[in-house]
Amino acid sequence: MKKIAVIFPGVGYHADKPLLYYSKKIASQNGYEIVEVPYGKFPKGVKGSREKMEKAFFSAVEQAEEILKDVDFSAYVDILFISKSVGTAVSSAYAGKHHLKTRNIYYTPVEASFQFMTQPGIAFTGTKDSWVDHEAVKEGCEKGGFPLYITEGANHSLETGDVMTDLENLQKIMLAAEKYIACDSSDK
């Protein structure tokens, strides 16, 4: 039974930053083949600019298409997409376009992501995330049926600025992610 986890980073949040790095390790320990989608070359000043965010999104989708073109998703019994920020929209749009049945970990989804987020998953956000309206994220998760894990005082990287607090929070986040990852689709 082959399983695959595809990692969709955010703008400036690559796959070797804590949320994605440890999620990859957990997925690997649970028997998932790991595929990273290392897109990049985003315009400067994306935050706060709808136009630049849209350009970043379309650029990332195009790059994801190229990076994943040789992956035969039909060979896998469980497809897990782990995404961060704009990656939540990219992964969801990709799954929709290719009619993939995926499970998802949505780290700090941006508001525009919710129009694409139709597959099951769990979401994480921080109360001090300046990239999003906190209430809009809560509402989007409620409407989409996504359990939402909220980190008090955390920014868009789910960090507070206090190292020890961040490590404690990261452990809680990874425990929730691990529980979700370990409950693969064959269990459903």
Side-chain angles (χ1 to χ4, degrees):
M1 295 192 1
K2 290 173 62 173
K3 304 187 287 187
I4 188 170
V6 184
I7 314 301
F8 293 85
V11 174
Y13 200 98
H14 54 76
D16 285 331
K17 288 202 173 191
L19 296 169
L20 299 178
Y21 175 81
Y22 287 110
S23 294
K24 285 188 305 185
K25 291 181 86 64
I26 291 168
S28 181
Q29 289 173 353
N30 280 273
Y32 287 82
E33 175 184 331
I34 307 297
V35 174
E36 294 182 29
V37 184
Y39 43 71
K41 301 177 192 126
F42 294 118
K44 299 277 188 233
V46 171
K47 182 179 176 183
S49 170
R50 182 181 177 95
E51 179 185 331
K52 288 181 180 179
M53 181 64 89
E54 284 179 8
K55 282 183 181 177
F57 167 75
F58 287 115
S59 172
V61 167
E62 187 177 299
Q63 292 175 65
E65 290 288 345
E66 180 62 26
I67 292 164
L68 298 173
K69 71 177 189 253
D70 295 325
V71 176
D72 178 11
F73 285 102
S74 69
Y76 298 92
V77 296
D78 188 20
I79 303 168
L80 175 66
F81 282 179
I82 302 172
S83 56
K84 170 78 174 83
S85 188
V86 72
T88 61
V90 175
S91 65
S92 299
Y94 183 90
K97 179 180 178 183
H98 294 277
H99 308 288
L100 299 176
K101 183 178 182 243
T102 63
R103 296 183 321 112
N104 296 271
I105 297 176
Y106 301 113
Y107 288 119
T108 64
V110 294
E111 290 170 54
S113 298
F114 289 101
Q115 65 187 303
F116 302 105
M117 291 168 55
T118 59
Q119 303 274 346
I122 60 174
F124 296 82
T125 194
T127 59
K128 300 251 171 120
D129 185 341
S130 63
W131 282 71
V132 297
D133 175 82
H134 187 64
E135 290 304 314
V137 170
K138 286 170 57 176
E139 184 179 306
C141 286
E142 191 174 300
K143 283 182 181 175
F146 308 113
L148 178 62
Y149 295 84
I150 300 170
T151 303
E152 289 297 323
N155 64 17
H156 197 58
S157 296
L158 295 180
E159 296 176 348
T160 64
D162 179 271
V163 174
M164 292 303 143
T165 300
D166 291 343
L167 289 172
E168 288 174 19
N169 289 339
L170 183 62
Q171 183 178 24
K172 291 174 189 171
I173 292 163
M174 289 303 118
L175 285 170
E178 181 175 42
K179 184 177 178 184
Y180 184 79
I181 290 169
C183 180
D184 67 46
S185 63
S186 63
D187 296 337
K188 304 269 186 258

